[in-house]
Amino acid sequence: MNTHKKIIVPLDVPDLQSAIALVDRLPLVDFWKVGLELFTSSGPAILEVLKSRQKRIFLDLKFHDIPNTVAGACCAAAGYGVDLLTIHATAGQDALKAAWSAVQEGALQAGVKPPQLIAITLLTSISSRQLAIDLKVPLELPEYALAMALMAQECGLSGAVCSPQEVAQLRQICGDDFLLVCPGIRPSWARKADQKRSLTPAEAILAGADYLVIGRPITGSDDPQLAWNQIVEELTTLA
Ligand SMILES: O=C(O)c1cc(=O)[nH]c(=O)n1[C@@H]1O[C@H](COP(=O)(O)O)[C@@H](O)[C@H]1O
């Protein structure tokens, strides 16, 4: 796969107009993420815009609810014909299994290909200290992220979202067919902001990530096209 196709750029903007402006500004981006901010403000309209431009779509709604409710939401989301969809692993095994079945059902009903359902292991904005002290999880962070990924795999999910700091371990244990998507990516020149467990794009790919989600280093830059080019160039040197 061309290196630039491994980069997913989030449309973390407040409205449809700003989203379209960003898509227009970065014509070389092939894979866009639609997340909570844009979907909550503007609904699914952006999905049609992206499809009309032959873009791939990661619908990142991070479902987290009881099995019956996540199943309903996954059934509806799968009908949009997107490529990737997220659920929190901490919704639990029953919810993950119900979500997976609902994705297949929703896609079948709509006559589209089912999205790959992937589980959030632990948000990249959480540090080891916060995991222990705020969330009261008694496991070491890498052990916890691995347990969440393995549970998702056992429930039939296609992959997981993890920080680049855990991706090598997850790749080794979950195998090559398990899709690993890494946010929390920061080129050496970018600010970390709220991301706690980051690596550079090259480090994340070398550690085994299939896809990198890279937002503000590109979209928050004065020249998003230049930032995108710099990142693609860094990755091309690895190929
Ligand atoms: O599911 C995600 O994409 C996600 C999971 C996670 O653990 N951490 C995380 O940052 N994300 C998303 O990845 C993107 C990261 O954006 P930047 O921090 O601007 O690069 C945001 O859209 C987040 O919603």
Side-chain angles (χ1 to χ4, degrees):
M1 194 194 295
N2 287 339
T3 27
H4 79 273
K5 297 204 164 181
K6 290 176 179 267
I7 305 174
I8 302 174
V9 180
L11 285 165
D12 289 334
V13 291
D15 53 49
L16 182 62
Q17 210 185 350
S18 316
I20 295 173
L22 192 51
V23 173
D24 284 340
R25 243 184 131 177
L26 288 164
L28 297 177
V29 176
D30 168 67
F31 211 154
W32 288 98
K33 181 167 88 80
V34 175
L36 289 171
E37 182 182 3
L38 181 59
F39 202 82
T40 303
S41 73
S42 312
I46 185 65
L47 306 179
E48 288 314 315
V49 174
L50 292 170
K51 279 195 229 170
S52 70
R53 297 175 190 207
Q54 282 79 47
K55 304 295 183 186
R56 287 183 292 162
I57 305 172
F58 174 6
L59 184 57
D60 176 30
L61 300 181
K62 292 192 178 67
F63 295 133
H64 194 194
D65 211 316
I66 61 170
N68 184 59
T69 305
V70 287
C74 282
C75 183
Y80 289 129
V82 296
D83 299 280
L84 288 178
L85 186 66
T86 44
I87 180 168
H88 277 283
T90 47
Q93 289 206 23
D94 291 348
L96 294 179
K97 287 179 190 161
W100 186 85
S101 301
V103 161
Q104 315 312 311
E105 181 64 30
L108 189 69
Q109 280 170 16
V112 296
K113 195 168 163 255
Q116 290 188 290
L117 182 64
I118 58 177
I120 311 292
T121 51
L122 178 69
L123 291 172
T124 54
S125 53
I126 305 281
S127 66
S128 302
R129 191 183 150 77
Q130 288 167 327
L131 182 69
I133 295 181
D134 300 346
L135 304 186
K136 317 284 182 221
V137 172
L139 299 180
E140 292 297 326
L141 192 152
E143 204 186 332
Y144 177 76
L146 176 62
M148 293 300 107
L150 286 171
M151 178 172 68
Q153 193 172 34
E154 272 169 35
C155 293
L157 271 65
S158 306
V161 178
C162 64
S163 106
Q165 296 188 7
E166 293 100 53
V167 73
Q169 187 197 12
L170 266 58
R171 172 63 65 219
Q172 196 193 351
I173 296 173
C174 300
D176 285 344
D177 294 339
F178 199 59
L179 194 71
L180 293 173
V181 176
C182 290
I185 303 296
R186 288 293 181 266
S188 53
W189 41 266
R191 286 187 58 238
K192 292 215 169 26
D194 51 359
Q195 296 290 359
K196 301 277 170 48
R197 309 193 321 279
S198 58
L199 289 181
T200 68
E203 287 167 339
I205 291 289
L206 288 173
D210 292 301
Y211 290 104
L212 310 179
V213 179
I214 313 179
R216 287 163 288 179
I218 298 170
T219 56
S221 151
D222 290 340
D223 187 341
Q225 185 64 61
L226 180 66
W228 162 265
N229 289 346
Q230 275 178 332
I231 291 168
V232 171
E233 213 167 288
E234 178 185 336
L235 291 178
T236 309
T237 60
L238 297 177

